[in-house]
Amino acid sequence: MAQMKISDIRAMIPDQMEDAILNLKKERFNLRFQRATGQLENTSRMREARRDIARIKTIAAQKRAKKK
């Protein structure tokens, strides 16, 4: 999964955002295991996944604040 675009995230509904966060957290977990066993080739993907999670959470918080 490539880095997520902000426009794609803004188009998501809250349930989709939660699903995306869950999938990214699973991916991060698997990447940590790959790194520990020496199988991880693309080490930058760990950083991208972490930032994608933060990006989704930020936009979700902005949407919640806008509704109030």
Side-chain angles (χ1 to χ4, degrees), residues 32-63:
R32 283 198 308 264
F33 265 90
Q34 288 177 16
R35 184 178 64 181
T37 59
Q39 297 174 345
L40 184 61
E41 294 178 13
N42 184 5
T43 55
S44 65
R45 183 60 196 137
M46 292 185 70
R47 184 180 195 179
E48 288 174 11
R50 187 178 72 239
R51 289 184 175 186
D52 283 343
I53 291 170
R55 193 172 289 119
I56 293 170
K57 285 184 173 184
T58 300
I59 293 173
Q62 288 173 350
K63 282 187 170 187

Side-chain angles (χ1 to χ4, degrees), residues 14-15 25 31 39 43 48 51 62 64-65 67-68:
D15 289 340
K25 285 184 176 183
L31 289 170
Q39 297 174 345
T43 55
E48 288 174 11
R51 289 184 175 186
Q62 288 173 350
R64 281 193 304 271
K67 285 185 179 180
K68 291 183 179 180

Side-chain angles (χ1 to χ4, degrees), residues 20-32:
I21 289 172
L22 186 64
N23 289 336
L24 285 165
K25 285 184 176 183
K26 286 179 184 177
E27 180 183 358
R28 264 186 50 213
F29 180 78
N30 291 331
L31 289 170
R32 283 198 308 264

Side-chain angles (χ1 to χ4, degrees), residues 5 13 24 35 66:
K5 293 186 177 160
I13 61 173
L24 285 165
R35 184 178 64 181
K66 203 177 235 185

